[in-house]
Amino acid sequence: TGTMAGDVGWGRRILALMITLFGLLIAGTLIGIIAAGVEDRIDSMRRGRSTVLESGHLVILGGSTRIPVIIEQLVLASAQRGSNTIVVLSQTDPTELRRAVIDAVPDQLHTRVVYRFGDPTTRADLAIARIGEARGVIVLPAVDGDDVSVTRTVLALVAELGGLHELPVVVEVADPTTAHRLVQACGPTMHPIATAQALARTGAFALRQRGLGKVTNELIDFRGCDLHITARPELVGVRFDEIVGRFANARPLGIALRDGRFELNPDADATLAADDRLIVIADDLERIEMADEPTRLRKGGPVGIRTAEVDEHVLVVGWNRLGPHLLSGW
């Protein structure tokens, strides 16, 4: 209303005063609505309910306690990749999960971790993580041994995408039967890991030979030398025994067939087909070098190892679901 000094008469002055007070009330209400909306938006972002804007990212579905360890290995695996993004969708509070990951992985190198709150078994929440733009998915159980939630998450994932197509999905399950059925239902891009069986087999190996536990830990940890799968089109049609000697700083172990199967330690005359890939041990996949002169390997049968026949016994202290797998592996 401007200044009231020029108003003449009490009626106009009272009307101008009422208009001014009403304007202040409207302005204060508008500021309050805007502030509340901004606060709600910030709280929604803090709770992780906004859709991510990433593409070519990795997605972790589930609230397992192993998420910090998995993120640590993914960070190390992508150290030479450059920029990398991991999206975690779980029903765990994002603030607590972020704090747990930072405590376990203080140096995340070039990787950015995005946390979202949602139920991985529902399609609406899966859309938050933009599964269709991801390059890989990891499905974890909310509770150890809960194959039901894992199966529901996989079914929601298939429904959201209309099929897995070429998207690799790694799933943690407890029952090997569930793992087999998931592969039958979803195809070769489904890679289930039966944790109880895997741990029991590793434990049986460690019991049989001292030091094998350290060897296994070296191979599955992305520090130092690792197992890699690499495409080598220049080696198509070459015998495997010749391929082994062609690398300067890596050692081939087998062939990853195009149908999803793996053939370790193949016959000497096995050849690499058009879409097959090599399984190698190397320090860095990006820095594998070919030898100037291929190493000539000694040909022949397996070397016999003399072992003494001694009586052995194993003491099992305690019992859990790993027990049957461990003893069967032993």
Side-chain angles (χ1 to χ4, degrees):
T1 61
T3 178
M4 293 184 293
D7 293 338
V8 180
W10 283 106
R12 293 189 63 180
R13 291 182 178 182
I14 292 175
L15 178 61
L17 178 61
M18 293 177 62
I19 292 174
T20 301
L21 294 177
F22 183 75
L24 291 175
L25 178 63
I26 293 297
T29 304
L30 181 61
I31 292 174
I33 292 174
I34 295 174
V38 172
E39 184 178 354
D40 290 343
R41 181 61 176 173
I42 292 176
D43 184 62
S44 175
M45 294 176 64
R46 184 180 295 112
R47 289 187 290 110
R49 292 297 298 170
S50 58
T51 303
V52 299
L53 303 176
E54 307 294 336
S55 60
H57 54 291
L58 294 172
V59 178
I60 300 177
L61 303 176
S64 173
T65 56
R66 284 180 282 277
I67 286 181
V69 178
I70 294 174
I71 290 180
E72 178 190 21
Q73 294 302 311
L74 292 176
V75 167
L76 294 174
S78 304
Q80 305 297 329
R81 179 185 177 87
S83 60
N84 182 48
T85 302
I86 301 173
V87 176
V88 182
L89 177 65
S90 70
Q91 292 181 290
T92 306
D93 180 57
T95 303
E96 297 179 1
L97 189 56
R98 182 183 293 106
R99 186 180 300 113
V101 171
I102 291 178
D103 291 341
V105 195
D107 185 8
Q108 297 180 3
L109 303 177
H110 306 291
T111 299
R112 187 167 69 96
V113 184
V114 179
Y115 303 91
R116 290 293 182 267
F117 181 85
D119 185 1
T121 63
T122 61
R123 294 181 57 182
D125 289 349
L126 285 177
I128 297 176
R130 293 190 71 186
I131 300 292
E133 302 295 330
R135 74 174 192 272
V137 178
I138 300 174
V139 181
L140 303 174
V143 181
D144 289 347
D146 185 10
D147 287 355
V148 175
S149 65
V150 170
T151 304
R152 292 177 59 189
T153 301
V154 172
L155 293 176
L157 185 65
V158 174
E160 175 67 17
L161 299 177
L164 297 183
H165 307 295
E166 299 297 327
L167 179 67
V169 179
V170 178
V171 182
E172 178 187 341
V173 296
D175 188 1
T177 303
T178 304
H180 180 67
R181 290 173 178 172
L182 285 175
V183 174
Q184 285 183 322
C186 301
T189 59
M190 172 63 62
H191 305 287
I193 299 177
T195 51
Q197 190 178 63
L199 288 174
R201 288 176 175 177
T202 305
F205 274 114
L207 284 173
R208 289 300 301 160
Q209 293 290 339
R210 293 181 180 179
L212 279 183
K214 294 183 178 180
V215 173
T216 305
N217 186 64
E218 175 68 23
L219 292 179
I220 63 177
D221 192 327
F222 269 98
R223 294 181 178 89
C225 63
D226 314 307
L227 287 172
H228 298 282
I229 299 178
T230 177
R232 292 289 169 172
E234 70 275 12
L235 298 177
V236 172
V238 181
R239 289 168 53 98
F240 188 78
D241 58 350
E242 298 180 11
I243 292 177
V244 172
R246 292 198 177 190
F247 290 87
N249 58 350
R251 185 63 64 215
L253 296 181
I255 301 174
L257 303 176
R258 53 188 170 186
D259 59 0
R261 295 182 296 110
F262 296 92
E263 186 176 350
L264 297 178
N265 192 25
D267 295 333
D269 57 354
T271 58
L272 204 66
D275 295 329
D276 293 344
R277 294 173 296 168
L278 277 179
I279 306 171
V280 299
I281 292 182
D283 286 334
D284 188 354
L285 181 61
E286 304 297 331
R287 300 179 182 177
I288 293 180
E289 300 175 357
M290 305 298 289
D292 295 334
E293 295 184 2
T295 304
R296 297 181 61 86
L297 303 178
R298 182 176 63 86
K299 296 182 179 181
V303 179
I305 300 177
R306 295 181 180 179
T307 57
E309 294 183 0
V310 296
D311 293 333
E312 298 175 319
H313 73 276
V314 177
L315 173 64
V316 180
V317 180
W319 193 257
N320 57 22
R321 60 190 179 91
L322 294 180
H325 299 287
L326 180 62
L327 291 183
S328 63
W330 170 265

